[in-house]
DNA sequence: TCAATATATGAATATATGTTCATATAAGTT
DNA sequence: AACTTATATGAACATATATTCATATATTGA
């Protein structure tokens, strides 16, 4: 096996580092992990994870900029859900790996 | 499909965030990506990636603390190589994914 | 032991980042 | 329009982080 080494161009490097940066913060991990099980409003997320509404909102913006989450509106409520299967897969995979010590 | 949601304990959260933090920096990504193709000394890594020896050494220490790399000594030279197949797999997987836009 | 080479380390600095507080915006209801 | 509820935003702050410079350590060979 062993894939071949190929120089990383600036753009790829940027995308990859941004992707992992999104997954490097405990709060964002918790939010994404929660969203892996369904759709939740900002308030619901804050309540379930014992976080301030502002904190959740800021982090959701971060995740939305990277297109890792999306939302739909229902009245004044915004329901957030995940929007990147690949990244979610990597997260869940790593969580399982971490749990096995 | 759809795996079940399960609360993340502190330890798992820490391990997962640390792992992704290691992959969130462009310099560390470049080092790990280079090491995916073989064994290199600190000086070789610095030359190939146009980095200061000190920078490489600091980042290698970071990666070594997380057991993502290891080294063997030959005289005064330390040859570093990767030491975590799982993390390397995730990195290469994400690089390929990023390259497809 | 001295010199040369390879690597590690610590301090300093600049920058990035996460959270909090206060407040703004937006939609719905009366 | 006023009020309520849900969410977003901006500033301020504290902390974390990456890089650089100068220097220390370690190994080898003369």
């Amino acid at each position: 096996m062993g894939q071949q080494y190929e120089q990383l161009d600036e753009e790829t490097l940027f995308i990859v580092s941004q992707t992992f940066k999104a997954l490097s913060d405990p709060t964002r991990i918790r939010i994404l992990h929660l969203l892996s099980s369904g759709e939740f409003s900002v308030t619901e997320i804050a309540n379930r994870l014992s976080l301030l509404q502002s904190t959740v909102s800021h982090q959701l913006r971060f995740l939305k900029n990277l297109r890792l989450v999306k939302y739909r509106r229902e009245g004044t409520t915004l329901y957030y859900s995940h929007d990147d299967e690949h990244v979610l897969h990597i997260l869940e995979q790593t969580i399982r790996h971490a749990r096995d010590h």
Side-chain angles (χ1 to χ4, degrees), chain A:
Chain A
M1 288 293 120
Q3 37 247 355
Q4 188 174 328
Y5 172 71
E6 206 172 325
Q7 277 276 106
L8 289 171
D9 59 287
E10 270 304 318
E11 199 197 340
T12 301
L13 201 55
F14 181 74
I15 296 174
V16 172
S17 62
Q18 284 297 110
T19 302
F20 287 125
K21 191 162 293 173
L23 300 174
S24 71
D25 175 71
T27 300
R28 288 193 291 270
I29 291 174
R30 294 174 74 209
I31 292 174
L32 283 172
H33 183 58
L34 178 60
L35 294 185
S36 76
S37 70
E39 216 185 29
F40 297 89
S41 74
V42 178
T43 303
E44 282 171 344
I45 296 171
N47 289 338
R48 292 216 185 207
L49 304 182
S50 304
L51 295 167
L52 292 178
Q53 178 268 322
S54 178
T55 300
V56 175
S57 188
H58 277 298
Q59 296 298 2
L60 284 172
R61 178 168 59 174
F62 184 108
L63 295 170
K64 184 141 188 321
N65 285 340
L66 291 176
R67 299 178 190 283
L68 300 187
V69 302
K70 61 178 188 282
Y71 66 81
R72 70 180 174 84
R73 179 181 287 279
E74 205 168 285
T76 57
T77 304
L78 301 187
Y79 290 97
Y80 278 84
S81 55
H82 64 82
D83 198 27
D84 190 317
E85 284 297 339
H86 179 253
V87 168
L88 205 67
H89 179 72
I90 285 174
L91 175 60
E92 294 303 319
Q93 195 179 322
T94 304
I95 288 172
R96 283 194 300 276
H97 191 253
R99 278 177 173 150
D100 309 337
H101 284 137

